[in-house]
Amino acid sequence: MLKHKLINGVLFVSVLLLTSQSFAALILEDDMDDWGPWYSSTGGISKVNFGSNDTAFHMSGYNAPNTTYAHMLRTTEETIQAEKEYEVSFGIVGHQLAEGESTLAKSTTLQLYFWDESSNTSIVEESVNPVYEEWQPTSDPFPMITVSFDTYGTNNADAVGNYLGFKIMGNYHASQTLDTIQVSEVPEPVTLALLGSGCAVFMRKRKNA
């Protein structure tokens, strides 16, 4: 009986280890409390404070000098691998600047790119639609939006071996606030299938015990 329990215990730990390695692996998480790794060439970027050192970044095309949009970008310093899928998730809300003004363009563009030290080349560029509310936001977390890309086969093959980066751009006169960026590597379908098989075997053994 003791031996049987030990075997079940080993199986259970093995399934847990497999599970922990099979869900999306977090490459980068940024709570948007620090300017440090971020770059912007447009201006129009400011901080929104929620108290207790909790902040978010506000992007306003109205305040970006000589432009009609604002953007911010950074790299993850993570090398893009072949045969992988990546996700970028971020919290975002859009705003009207004041009651009575016309609704601003309800769209923001997330551009994923690879970084070659001298320029950035787009992997995927996708428009996303943030949830809109009155300015100024009073709390977080914000609704999350996720954009993904992969390097399977010939998809984005040129990106392999370069650093992964991303740029968030407000469209024409857009105004939005960002908080909590997460970049993850998604497990391969084969790995997920193995996880399912391992869990099924474990549960069957538990049932027959």
Side-chain angles (χ1 to χ4, degrees):
M1 180 64 70
L2 179 60
K3 182 178 179 181
H4 191 70
K5 288 183 177 180
L6 286 173
I7 292 174
N8 277 341
V10 170
L11 283 171
F12 180 67
V13 171
S14 298
V15 171
L16 285 179
L17 288 173
L18 180 59
T19 301
S20 66
Q21 294 174 357
S22 299
F23 289 117
L26 192 63
I27 293 172
L28 177 143
E29 184 171 32
D30 190 329
D31 57 13
M32 313 297 281
D33 289 340
D34 182 16
W35 287 107
W38 290 92
Y39 301 88
S40 173
S41 60
T42 62
I45 312 294
S46 60
K47 280 193 175 184
V48 178
N49 295 305
F50 297 116
S52 302
N53 297 318
D54 183 15
T55 66
F57 287 175
H58 181 64
M59 301 169 59
S60 172
Y62 284 104
N63 296 319
N66 303 316
T67 66
T68 55
Y69 70 96
H71 79 239
M72 30 193 317
L73 62 94
R74 65 164 295 175
T75 64
T76 63
E77 298 187 359
E78 176 76 13
T79 302
I80 299 171
Q81 305 293 322
E83 305 298 311
K84 296 290 184 181
E85 181 179 354
Y86 297 91
E87 288 183 347
V88 176
S89 298
F90 57 103
I92 181 170
V93 292
H95 309 287
Q96 292 181 192
L97 294 184
E99 185 177 355
E101 289 190 13
S102 60
T103 301
L104 302 173
K106 296 186 177 181
S107 181
T108 298
T109 300
L110 175 66
Q111 182 185 78
L112 303 175
Y113 62 86
F114 66 83
W115 185 263
D116 65 4
E117 296 184 352
S118 61
S119 64
N120 60 75
T121 303
S122 177
I123 299 169
V124 61
E125 186 170 309
E126 184 168 331
S127 291
V128 298
N129 297 313
V131 174
Y132 262 62
E133 63 180 40
E134 295 296 326
W135 174 255
Q136 160 174 359
T138 57
S139 64
D140 61 358
F142 298 158
M144 297 293 287
I145 290 177
T146 299
V147 175
S148 63
F149 77 100
D150 67 72
T151 55
Y152 291 115
T154 58
N155 289 349
N156 301 302
D158 292 342
V160 173
N162 291 276
Y163 284 148
L164 171 62
F166 53 95
K167 180 192 295 183
I168 300 168
M169 300 177 288
N171 287 356
Y172 185 78
H173 279 168
S175 178
Q176 60 276 307
T177 304
L178 302 149
D179 198 16
T180 310
I181 301 284
Q182 294 179 332
V183 183
S184 302
E185 179 186 308
V186 180
E188 301 174 39
V190 172
T191 304
L192 289 175
L194 289 173
L195 172 62
S197 300
C199 288
V201 169
F202 174 72
M203 294 304 294
R204 187 162 55 248
K205 286 183 176 291
R206 291 283 295 173
K207 185 176 181 181
N208 295 334

